Amino acid sequence: MALLEICCYSMECALTAQQRGADRVELCAAPKEGGLTPSWGVLKSVRQAVTIPVHPIIRPRGGDFYYSASEFNAMLEDIAVVRDLGFPGLVIGLLDEDGHVDMPRMRQIMAAAQGMAVTFHRAFDMCVNPLQAFENLAELGVARVLTSGQQSSAEKGISLIKELKAQSGVPIIMAGAGVRAANLELFLQAGVFELHSSAGRWLPSPMRYRNAGLSMSTESGADEYSRYSVDGESVAVMKAMIERYRR
């Protein structure tokens, strides 16, 4: 059965995704960083209010996926929080300096996350040898791999995604990055039955007073007065397509 996971950056996004038919939520903070570990308050409130499976991301910062000792220790602490709150899974990824799956640390992650489904995220797309990495992750017992096929979008990376899908049923291959209603059928026809989408859009802030000459961001041209939101209609359209495919 095909499954739709929606990447959400707030309680509001998670509730919208659930109401419009998502099967699972990946819960993150910081959309402009590509997703960081949510705060304890967000984790707790989402755990209490959202009934579909929610898998929080464990990622202490943006950038690469090779972490210092202090960053790795913080990740282990965050895993303990997520586990104690009762989440059924988490999303994580670690590489070594040479672009291989960091096997010693991932073994510690798997032990810390015992009883939870572990998704290895798009750190996979930054690894040097995806076929070897896939074998390593299978050995670790990772539940699934989120990948764009090492391309800028999953549509462009469909060839590698299909190659990985043909390797084995475990880990599950979940396609993500640019997955939308317009290309959803491509993945379904390829036998990729877990789809990850942000289904997102930026909405204007409701603030009436605006100091347009000041930004809290170091990025040039950053807009302080826009907010990321899940587009519920996009979620509903994708879910309807999946339901038709199931029949």
Side-chain angles (χ1 to χ4, degrees), residues 4 16-17 20 181 199 201 230-240:
L4 179 62
T16 297
R20 301 310 296 268
R201 58 181 175 172
V230 165
D231 182 354
E233 183 60 27
S234 293
V235 176
V237 168
M238 285 190 285
K239 184 56 182 288

Side-chain angles (χ1 to χ4, degrees), residues 111-179:
Q114 189 170 14
M116 304 174 70
V118 174
T119 298
F120 195 90
H121 59 43
R122 291 188 62 213
F124 182 86
D125 292 322
M126 308 296 279
C127 72
V128 64
N129 186 330
L131 298 181
Q132 180 61 56
F134 186 79
E135 291 182 10
N136 292 152
L137 295 171
E139 177 187 336
L140 288 166
V142 165
R144 66 183 50 78
V145 176
L146 171 61
T147 179
S148 65
Q150 296 208 318
Q151 299 297 319
S152 58
S153 72
E155 185 171 359
K156 292 179 180 177
I158 188 63
S159 177
L160 177 58
I161 289 172
K162 289 194 289 187
E163 185 177 359
L164 293 167
K165 181 73 172 59
Q167 298 295 312
S168 169
V170 180
I172 296 166
I173 292 296
M174 179 165 59
V179 174

Side-chain angles (χ1 to χ4, degrees), residues 68-243:
S68 68
S70 62
E71 289 171 336
F72 179 63
N73 288 335
M75 295 170 85
L76 291 175
E77 294 289 346
D78 285 335
I79 289 171
V81 169
V82 166
R83 184 189 62 230
D84 291 347
L85 283 170
F87 286 95
L90 58 83
V91 181
I92 199 165
L94 295 91
L95 303 178
D96 64 21
E97 303 100 311
D98 297 312
H100 301 288
V101 175
D102 189 334
M103 293 295 282
R105 282 179 165 180
M106 278 302 300
R107 288 191 181 96
Q108 293 183 64
I109 293 294
M110 299 303 292
Q114 189 170 14
M116 304 174 70
V118 174
T119 298
F120 195 90
H121 59 43
R122 291 188 62 213
F124 182 86
D125 292 322
M126 308 296 279
C127 72
V128 64
N129 186 330
L131 298 181
Q132 180 61 56
F134 186 79
E135 291 182 10
N136 292 152
L137 295 171
E139 177 187 336
L140 288 166
V142 165
R144 66 183 50 78
V145 176
L146 171 61
T147 179
S148 65
Q150 296 208 318
Q151 299 297 319
S152 58
S153 72
E155 185 171 359
K156 292 179 180 177
I158 188 63
S159 177
L160 177 58
I161 289 172
K162 289 194 289 187
E163 185 177 359
L164 293 167
K165 181 73 172 59
Q167 298 295 312
S168 169
V170 180
I172 296 166
I173 292 296
M174 179 165 59
V179 174
R180 294 289 187 272
N183 58 20
L184 196 67
E185 191 172 349
L186 171 71
F187 303 104
L188 295 173
Q189 289 180 345
V192 181
F193 296 135
E194 291 210 8
L195 292 312
H196 173 98
S197 177
S198 62
R201 58 181 175 172
W202 290 91
L203 299 177
S205 166
M207 291 191 68
R208 289 186 294 273
Y209 172 74
R210 302 187 178 198
N211 185 349
L214 182 65
S215 174
M216 299 293 107
S217 175
T218 59
E219 294 183 10
S220 175
D223 182 5
E224 296 294 336
Y225 297 101
S226 63
R227 301 180 179 187
Y228 184 89
S229 177
V230 165
D231 182 354
E233 183 60 27
S234 293
V235 176
V237 168
M238 285 190 285
K239 184 56 182 288
M241 292 177 68
I242 288 171
E243 291 293 343

